[in-house]
Every structure is written in structure tokens, then in C-alpha cells.
Amino acid sequence: PQPGRCAHFVLRKKRFCRMIPAPGRRFCGEHGHEEEQNDRKRIPCPLDPKHTVYEDQLQKHLKKCNSREKPKPVYFVQDINAGLKDVAEIPEKQVPLSSLSIEELQNLITRLKKASNGLELHLEEQILSHQALQEALSDPKNGESAFKHLKQQASILGNMERLHLLGPGRCFVEFGAGRGKLSHWVDIALEKVESVQFLLVERATTRFKVDGKHKRRDSIFERLQVDIQHLCLNKVPILEKKKLPVVGIGKHLCGAATDLALRCLVESYTTCCDGKDEEPAPKRCRAAQTEVAPHKSAGNESTTEDHKPVAGIVIALCCHHKCDWTHYVGREFFKSVGLGPVEFHYFQRMSSWATCGMQETTGKASTSEDQTNDTEEHEHTLSRTASGSDTLQGILSVEERKELGCLCKRLIDHGRIEYLQQQGYKAALQYYTESAVSLENVLLTAVPNPSVIPEPT
């Protein structure tokens, strides 16, 4: 070992440990068990066996170990947005797509086309922009990848403006916030607007956050480190205190996270927006909620907002192959067209054909920009086995796979649209950017349906 360095030899790296031991010691703290110290013994930490601790100091260590369970925040309610509680509907064993015979696969495709018959599959284009991002979009210092993200963020803001969601006295909740870039641009767009709150929901710790750029007094940024599955919005102190109308936003909210966010907004928050601790009704329709509300004057905006605890939803969708029947909000729609959890399992796997399925089945990696432009936000990690490439050899062309993948995405998304409509929202899907910018270019928007708001007397 080098002088002043640990004497432990790391077999895997074929070198000595480079840590510096305490004065008078030959080994560092991690490898101190190799040195006799009055028979003191080091044992693996019961919370995380990747590190060790002196046995006689275990209780002291457990109180400060970084792997200890942290206290739950007040807005944590176990599985409040999880959805299906009865596991009887979920098949115990799901057969991989690649294990299906040609006949079974063709039958599945037939059922997919039959279920999709009559649905609106040709989406309207709403490729917009917003003045708040014009300077950044014209900055030559931004590379191609940054430019593509900026175009998407500009279009999302443009669609929010189209739906009149950019206004004062609102709380913008960004689900799957990551670094918080979308909220950052919303804040820039509302620079001269007062009383704006931002809640950035992200279950993981995130590096290089942009939160520190927001210094103005009128906007408040708060991070909620919690899984959307357990987030009870009406218990968040700032919403509990101010009762602000909420706008739910998200850029590339992967798979089941979209369903969890929708349920978080239109069920657990909407039905509990009075701030009481009562259990929400499992399927309380927003239309029914509005019917019992007292009649208000149509010209009074503040009273109209009383009917809209959720003012709007704008979420860029992605990664349908990560959806889950347990959390999916469109289960009733699937059942209405004769489908169930087994078909949903296959369709969510087949949805990857719309993006990953564009590769040839030889397994060679695609070098197209379209295939890699969004790797920062959602990685397509399906193997050939998971996507059924071997089964498809010689049966379906690349274009046919792409078409079927898109059909699976639209079918899953239509279930979400019907769910929102049943909850009293006017919901729609639209293309918000070109496929050359992102293959995941569909935006889900929803605003309260004015038809369920009582007419003035």
C-alpha cells in the first residue's frame, strides 16, 4: 500500500484501497474489521449491508444511518391514488409477448382493431409556441437536444395559454418534475402575474435543479419528494391553507405515473377539496359534485372557481409500455369493449412498436435522431424478447408494427379520455410537436366541462 493509505487489497480492482486511515491505524473505517482493535467486531449494517459498522456502536449508528426510514410528510397517504385494490382481476402469470403463437398474435391484433373501430385515431395538431421561450429558442448557444426540449416546452405553454390556464391565483403542480424546467418556463410566462404557487412532485432526489433561479416574491416554489401514488394534494399545507385552483402539468410523464397523476387530481384532490379528513368516495363523479353546489353568478370569476378545484390538466404522454392495469384509470372502458387485464398487458407491450419497433428485427441499433432525441427523459429499455421481435419475424413489416404500436397507444389513451369525461372534464388528445422533435408527441389536455356547471337562476 501507498504510505498513509489503507492496507486493504481490493481484489475486484486489483489494487489497494485509497482511503486514508485514522492516525495510528493501518486500515480505513470501512476495512477496520481486518485490524484487531481490542476484539471490536464490524458487522454489516442491517439497514444497508453495503456498509459495515462496529457491533458495539450499532444502536448509535442506526439513529443516523442515511439508509434509515425517513419520517413521512403530512401529505403522504399510503396508496391513495393506487387504484385497483382487488388483485383478483390481475392474472397471476403473464405470458411474454414473444411466447405467443402466430395464431394467438393475429387474434390479438384482430381484437385490437375491433376495439379501436369507431375511435378518433387522427389527432388534431396543436403545435404552438409561447413568447416566454422565444429568446431561448433563438439562442445559438443551445445545442440540438436543448432546442428540441425548448420547442416542446414552448408548445406545452402555448396550449396552456390556449386553454386559458396561465393566470393569477393558481397553483401549478408539475408531476415528475425532475429538474423543474417546465415550471421554470411557466414562471417566466407569468412574470408579471401575482399570487402564483408551484409544487414540484418528484420521488427521487434530483441534481442540477433550476429551482434556485426563481427569486421573485410573487411566486413560491416547493418540492414534494413523494411517489405520486401516495400524494394527497389536499393535505399539502399551502393548498390546505389557500384552497387555490390547481393546474396539473407534466412533460413526458411515463406510463402509470400519468394514471396516478390523473387520479390524484380528479379523485383524491377534487373530492376532498373541502379540506376534511373524510374518506373520499371511490368513484364520485365531478358532475354530481357540481349539481349539488349552490347556483352562482356566471359573471363572478371567483365564485366560478369554487366549482373548479382542478382548473386544468396538461400532460405530455409517453412510455405506454410502462403502464400498469392496477393503476390504469381506463379499466371501465377496456371492459366495455370486451377487453381485460390480459389484453391490456399485451397492448402495453405492443405500444413500444410505435417507437422502438421502428428498428429492424436484426437487433442493430438505430442511429436515427428520432430514436435517441429523448433519452434524457424516458429510456426505451425493452428487449427483443419483451417486444416480441422473434415472433414478428417475417409476419409484420416495420411500418405495420409502427401502426399497431400507435393503435395500442391511442386505445390506452382513449380510456384515459373517457375516464376524465366521466369525471366531468372536457378532455382531448393532440399532437403538440413534430415527430422529428419527439416520437412521444401527444399531449393530453382537460378542463372542467362547462356543461356540468349550473346555469345562473
Side-chain angles (χ1 to χ4, degrees):
Q2 298 177 7
R5 298 301 175 107
C6 179
H8 173 78
F9 187 77
V10 185
L11 289 174
R12 183 173 60 86
K13 297 184 178 180
K14 298 180 180 179
R15 63 167 174 79
F16 285 94
C17 174
R18 293 173 179 169
M19 298 299 290
I20 301 174
R25 304 292 187 189
R26 293 182 58 242
F27 296 90
C28 67
E30 185 61 27
H31 303 121
H33 59 279
E34 299 181 21
E35 184 175 18
E36 291 187 9
Q37 297 179 16
N38 299 326
D39 295 327
R40 294 184 74 190
K41 181 182 177 182
R42 290 188 73 89
I43 60 173
C45 173
L47 299 178
D48 182 5
K50 292 181 180 179
H51 65 273
T52 61
V53 60
Y54 284 117
E55 189 174 26
D56 57 359
Q57 291 185 334
L58 177 60
Q59 295 306 317
K60 181 180 179 181
H61 170 80
L62 292 177
K63 294 178 181 179
K64 61 181 181 180
C65 179
N66 289 332
S67 299
R68 70 189 186 282
E69 185 177 0
K70 308 295 191 300
K72 296 290 190 296
V74 293
Y75 46 79
F76 181 98
V77 178
Q78 185 73 37
D79 294 329
I80 187 171
N81 306 313
L84 188 63
K85 300 294 192 297
D86 184 10
V87 296
E89 286 191 42
I90 305 172
E92 294 182 5
K93 186 177 181 181
Q94 296 177 329
V95 180
L97 191 61
S98 58
S99 300
L100 296 179
S101 66
I102 296 176
E103 292 75 17
E104 289 173 324
L105 183 61
Q106 289 175 335
N107 179 57
L108 198 61
I109 293 173
T110 300
R111 298 191 69 182
L112 170 65
K113 292 181 177 179
K114 182 180 178 181
S116 305
N117 188 32
L119 301 184
E120 182 56 56
L121 302 175
H122 301 286
L123 307 184
E124 182 183 355
E125 281 194 357
Q126 291 288 352
I127 302 175
L128 307 176
S129 190
H130 196 278
Q131 186 63 34
L133 289 95
Q134 292 310 305
E135 184 178 346
L137 284 168
S138 58
D139 188 350
K141 294 180 181 178
N142 286 318
E144 185 178 1
S145 176
F147 180 72
K148 288 180 177 180
H149 289 301
L150 287 168
K151 285 195 71 174
Q152 294 174 68
Q153 290 154 347
S155 185
I156 292 174
L157 261 68
N159 277 279
M160 292 176 67
E161 188 171 55
R162 175 178 64 87
L163 296 170
H164 309 290
L165 297 178
L166 294 177
R170 289 178 177 176
C171 179
F172 295 87
V173 182
E174 183 179 357
F175 294 94
R179 295 172 59 194
K181 276 293 189 72
L182 185 56
S183 292
H184 166 74
W185 290 117
V186 173
D187 185 47
I188 297 296
L190 299 174
E191 189 174 5
K192 298 180 180 179
V193 175
E194 297 180 352
S195 187
V196 179
Q197 320 285 332
F198 290 91
L199 295 177
L200 281 64
V201 183
E202 179 60 63
R203 65 182 178 183
T205 54
T206 307
R207 300 176 66 194
F208 310 117
K209 298 185 287 287
V210 297
D211 306 27
K213 296 183 178 180
H214 311 286
K215 301 296 184 183
R216 68 188 184 93
R217 297 178 181 177
D218 293 334
S219 63
I220 298 175
F221 277 72
E222 181 181 351
R223 277 195 173 262
L224 308 180
Q225 189 175 341
V226 63
D227 193 309
I228 305 170
Q229 181 171 332
H230 312 301
L231 172 60
C232 183
L233 276 179
N234 68 299
K235 290 183 180 292
V236 176
I238 196 167
L239 289 177
E240 193 174 24
K241 179 181 179 181
K242 296 191 175 182
K243 301 293 190 301
L244 295 172
V246 162
V247 178
I249 60 177
K251 178 173 177 281
H252 291 166
L253 194 58
C254 289
T258 293
D259 299 298
L260 295 171
L262 294 179
R263 193 175 282 109
C264 175
L265 289 165
V266 305
E267 285 190 43
S268 66
Y269 181 63
T270 299
T271 58
C272 299
C273 61
D274 56 1
K276 296 179 181 179
D277 292 331
E278 299 175 1
E279 283 291 321
K283 289 186 180 179
R284 183 177 176 183
C285 179
R286 198 177 135 60
Q289 177 189 0
T290 313
E291 288 173 359
V292 298
H295 289 209
K296 304 283 183 179
S297 171
N300 189 334
E301 292 185 7
S302 61
T303 55
T304 304
E305 287 293 339
D306 291 341
H307 298 288
K308 304 176 184 179
V310 177
I313 302 169
V314 180
I315 296 175
L317 306 172
C318 84
C319 296
H320 294 71
H321 65 274
K322 292 185 178 180
C323 290
D324 188 290
W325 178 258
T326 304
H327 305 313
Y328 182 51
V329 297
R331 292 192 301 267
E332 293 302 320
F333 161 70
F334 257 63
K335 292 176 184 177
S336 70
V337 292
L339 303 175
V342 175
E343 291 80 10
F344 180 84
H345 165 71
Y346 291 128
F347 292 161
Q348 53 125 169
R349 309 309 286 176
M350 290 164 60
S351 69
S352 65
W353 296 350
T355 49
C356 307
M358 296 177 71
Q359 301 179 32
E360 294 291 348
T361 54
T362 55
K364 294 180 180 179
S366 170
T367 56
S368 68
E369 293 178 1
D370 291 1
Q371 188 68 27
T372 59
N373 60 58
D374 273 330
T375 53
E376 289 182 22
E377 293 176 298
H378 48 89
E379 297 283 349
H380 292 293
T381 56
L382 286 184
S383 63
R384 290 182 63 196
T385 301
S387 61
S389 297
D390 294 331
T391 307
L392 302 174
Q393 188 73 38
I395 302 174
L396 300 172
S397 68
V398 173
E399 284 303 315
E400 287 174 326
R401 291 201 300 276
K402 179 184 175 183
E403 182 180 345
L404 289 170
C406 290
L407 203 58
C408 290
K409 284 176 174 285
R410 298 294 77 80
L411 189 68
I412 292 172
D413 289 339
H414 186 80
R416 292 163 168 168
I417 294 297
E418 283 212 358
Y419 166 79
L420 288 168
Q421 290 173 344
Q422 291 171 1
Q423 297 288 336
Y425 288 81
K426 182 180 179 181
L429 299 168
Q430 50 262 309
Y431 292 118
Y432 77 102
T433 192
E434 301 89 351
S435 59
V437 173
S438 175
L439 291 175
E440 300 282 17
N441 60 343
V442 174
L443 189 71
L444 182 151
T445 60
V447 292
N449 194 336
S451 63
V452 302
I453 298 177
E455 294 294 333
T457 55

